[in-house]
């Protein structure tokens, strides 16, 4: 039998770091990543035949659990009909209409990754306004396009710096990186750069620095200030969309307003590569071939991916969302109780059914990137490995959300409950 270690060694010999996306590596927790070979419901199985309760859910898409029969069936039927046509297909409009039934959008353009969706949204904001500057918030992740791999410059409202080697300063100088949840910083940016800001992009509820919920009214404020300044407001719902709630992070506010553009991904592909930019006809119809803003994709709207997305969203019933919300609340209590029993200082940050732990933050909570970075992250490695030893697969970084699915049943929850006491003990014993 090939072991996880052998599979990892083979992967490292041919794939940089042994992974095709850095978050899958165990860099921040240590150890050897397991090579998964099977998934069903709430479980993942590795090639040594160890089964884990999965709390990563492929980083978000597996809302209904793995291999949901209706999704698998839809995919099988689509495969039988043909893998890719390179033409329009009815499945594209069906999924687009379904999205527009649930979210306040008039047009949907499909792409294959969240990175493409946000990149396109930003190009649209610039094309629609004739301006260059984009505001993003520190700690929000919007994929890996150059202008969004930007770190705050020195001082508020100064041009951002590259946050990765290979990103030119000339590109990040078109991005302003501001502290999250800070209305004053946004106002100052609009004052400092009148008529130069094309738009604001924000995660509707940030979940890539751990979960950091928006202060009440923060998203509405962003809507108002972009409207007042003729700038485009982009809510990135790639992670939160159809997941934090049925109507994403936007739905948490029961908003009577909408952004100009949303970006979606993950759940709308049900495990296959689908993302989209969606929004008002006025902005979206700027896209080629109707308008002057270019965007394209050989496999965009792929029929198999559309079928998986459509089957996922149509099976994401109100009952399914209620189950996910209830399981999330239950899991948050289980984690909090286990950590409290060992005296581990922490807070649990949540946005809808998404949540994460921030160690050492009980007295002040977490409202922005600086707060998340100041937490006792060193506690997570031992916590993670104790959970893994107990058969629970968490994200290998404390700065990730926990993803629960509609398939997490009592048996899965019991397995998590059994693993938690040792993990909490390990977190308590960890030293910096
Ligand atoms: C909020 C958000 N936007 C964009 C992306 C990029 O999506 P992808 O990894 O599909 O390129 C992610 C990925 O995690 C995300 O969480």
């Amino acid at each position: 039998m090939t072991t996880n270690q052998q599979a990892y060694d083979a992967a490292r010999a041919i794939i940089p770091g042994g992974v095709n996306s850095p978050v899958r590596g165990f860099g921040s927790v240590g150890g050897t990543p397991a090579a998964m070979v099977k998934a069903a419901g709430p479980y993942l199985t590795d090639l040594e035949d160890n089964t884990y309760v999965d709390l990563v859910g492929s980083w978000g898409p597996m809302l209904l659990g793995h291999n949901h029969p209706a999704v698998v069936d839809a995919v099988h039927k689509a495969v039988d009909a043909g893998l890719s046509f390179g033409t329009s297909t009815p499945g594209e409009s069906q999924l687009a209409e379904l999205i527009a039934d649930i979210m306040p959008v008039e047009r949907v353009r499909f792409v294959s990754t969240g990175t493409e969706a946000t990149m396109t949204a930003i190009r649209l904001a610039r094309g629609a306004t004739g301006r260059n500057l984009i505001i993003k918030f520190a700690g929000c992740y919007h994929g890996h396009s150059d202008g969004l791999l930007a770190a705050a410059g020195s001082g508020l409202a100064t041009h951002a710096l590259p946050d990765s080697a290979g990103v030119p300063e000339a590109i990040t100088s078109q991005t302003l990186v501001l502290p999250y949840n800070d209305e004053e910083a946004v106002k100052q940016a609009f004052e400092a750069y009148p008529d130069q800001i094309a738009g604001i992009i924000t995660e509707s509820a940030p979940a890539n620095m751990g979960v950091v919920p928006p202060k009440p009214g923060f998203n509405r404020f962003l809507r108002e200030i972009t409207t007042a300044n003729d700038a485009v407001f982009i809510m990135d719902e790639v992670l939160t969309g159809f997941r934090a709630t049925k109507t994403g992070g936007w739905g948490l506010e029961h908003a009577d307003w909408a952004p100009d553009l949303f970006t979606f991904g993950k759940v709308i592909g049900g495990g296959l590569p689908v993302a989209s930019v969606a929004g008002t006809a006025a902005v979206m119809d700027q896209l080629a071939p109707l308008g002057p803003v270019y965007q394209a994709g050989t496999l965009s709207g792929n029929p198999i991916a559309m079928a998986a997305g459509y089957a996922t969203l149509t099976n994401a019933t109100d009952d399914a969302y209620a189950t996910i919300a209830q399981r999330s609340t239950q899991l948050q209590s289980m984690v909090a109780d286990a950590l409290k029993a060992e005296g581990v200082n922490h807070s649990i940050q949540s946005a809808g059914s998404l949540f994460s732990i921030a160690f050492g933050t009980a007295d002040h909570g977490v409202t922005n990137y600086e707060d998340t970075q100041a937490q006792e992250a060193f506690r997570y490695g031992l916590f993670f490995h104790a959970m893994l030893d107990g058969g629970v697969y968490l994200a290998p970084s404390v700065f990730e959300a926990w993803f629960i699915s509609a398939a997490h049943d009592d048996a899965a929850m019991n397995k998590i409950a059994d693993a938690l006491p040792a993990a909490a003990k390990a977190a308590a014993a960890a030293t910096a």
Side-chain angles (χ1 to χ4, degrees):
M1 180 177 76
T2 311
T3 62
N4 285 319
Q5 186 64 52
Q6 286 166 334
Y8 183 49
D9 291 343
R12 272 191 303 180
I14 186 73
I15 295 170
V19 290
N20 283 308
S21 192
V23 291
R24 298 176 197 171
F26 276 19
S28 75
V29 291
T32 304
M36 301 301 175
V37 292
K38 247 187 341 205
Y43 299 110
L44 285 175
T45 303
D46 70 17
L47 50 61
E48 293 176 12
D49 219 21
N50 302 305
T51 293
Y52 309 86
V53 178
D54 181 21
L55 290 172
V56 182
S58 193
W59 301 92
M62 310 321 296
L63 183 80
L64 305 176
H66 292 284
N67 273 7
H68 186 282
V71 179
V72 171
D73 187 47
V75 167
H76 283 161
K77 287 195 175 113
V79 167
D80 288 344
L83 299 186
S84 179
F85 308 127
T87 66
S88 293
T89 62
E92 292 167 303
S93 317
Q94 279 163 13
L95 183 55
E97 282 161 12
L98 190 53
I99 288 171
D101 281 347
I102 299 169
M103 298 298 292
V105 298
E106 296 172 317
R107 299 280 188 278
V108 180
R109 167 68 60 89
F110 289 112
V111 293
S112 300
T113 66
T115 295
E116 285 172 84
T118 56
M119 184 182 78
T120 303
I122 281 172
R123 189 172 301 146
L124 269 171
R126 289 179 169 145
T129 59
R131 303 171 182 172
N132 283 341
L133 291 178
I134 295 289
I135 291 176
K136 86 173 275 288
F137 295 101
C140 282
Y141 177 69
H142 305 289
H144 60 99
S145 65
D146 284 353
L148 292 170
L149 288 182
S154 55
L156 278 185
T158 54
H159 297 277
L161 301 170
D163 204 19
S164 160
V167 171
E169 223 174 299
I171 294 183
T172 56
S173 69
Q174 303 305 313
T175 310
L176 303 171
V177 178
L178 303 182
Y180 189 65
N181 268 328
D182 187 339
E183 295 189 9
E184 207 40 51
V186 180
K187 284 183 196 156
Q188 281 180 29
F190 276 100
E191 278 160 22
Y193 300 100
D195 300 329
Q196 293 173 64
I197 294 173
I200 296 180
I201 184 165
T202 185
E203 287 185 61
S204 63
N208 281 290
M209 48 176 153
V211 174
V212 177
K215 285 184 180 161
F218 184 63
N219 283 330
R220 169 187 287 278
F221 161 78
L222 297 177
R223 170 68 289 180
E224 286 169 358
I225 198 163
T226 43
T227 302
N229 287 277
D230 297 322
V232 171
F233 182 30
I234 306 164
M235 286 186 104
D236 182 355
E237 295 261 18
V238 166
L239 192 154
T240 45
F242 309 95
R243 153 68 68 180
T245 69
K246 182 175 180 179
T247 48
W250 172 82
L252 283 170
E253 280 205 15
H254 306 290
D256 55 0
W257 49 267
D260 301 289
L261 296 175
F262 283 102
T263 50
F264 302 118
K266 297 188 190 263
V267 170
I268 66 163
L272 293 188
V274 183
S276 70
V277 53
T280 63
V283 178
M284 289 293 295
D285 285 350
Q286 302 282 320
L287 279 175
L290 283 184
V293 177
Y294 194 68
Q295 181 277 330
T298 300
L299 293 176
S300 293
N302 171 272
I304 299 158
M306 295 292 103
Y310 190 82
T312 297
L313 287 189
T314 46
N315 283 279
T317 57
D318 290 346
D319 278 356
Y321 282 106
T323 300
I324 292 167
Q326 184 266 320
R327 290 302 190 189
S328 172
T329 307
Q330 182 187 358
L331 183 53
Q332 290 176 49
S333 307
M334 284 160 54
V335 173
D337 289 349
L339 291 174
K340 268 186 221 143
E342 295 300 329
V344 181
N345 179 313
H346 72 283
S347 62
I348 293 192
Q349 310 293 314
S350 68
S353 64
L354 290 167
F355 73 94
S356 63
I357 310 174
F359 290 108
T361 61
D363 52 340
H364 48 86
V366 170
T367 56
N368 59 29
Y369 184 58
E370 240 175 46
D371 295 341
T372 64
Q373 295 304 297
Q375 71 168 286
E376 295 171 350
F378 60 87
R379 297 195 186 280
Y380 190 72
L382 292 179
F383 179 85
F384 168 87
H385 275 292
M387 292 298 280
L388 197 64
D389 291 346
V392 179
Y393 192 75
L394 298 177
S397 161
V398 74
F399 301 108
E400 302 289 352
W402 295 42
F403 294 98
I404 200 147
S405 80
H408 282 74
D409 55 9
D410 285 343
M413 298 305 282
N414 289 341
K415 191 163 175 182
I416 300 170
D418 289 346
L420 274 168
K425 252 193 189 68
T431 48

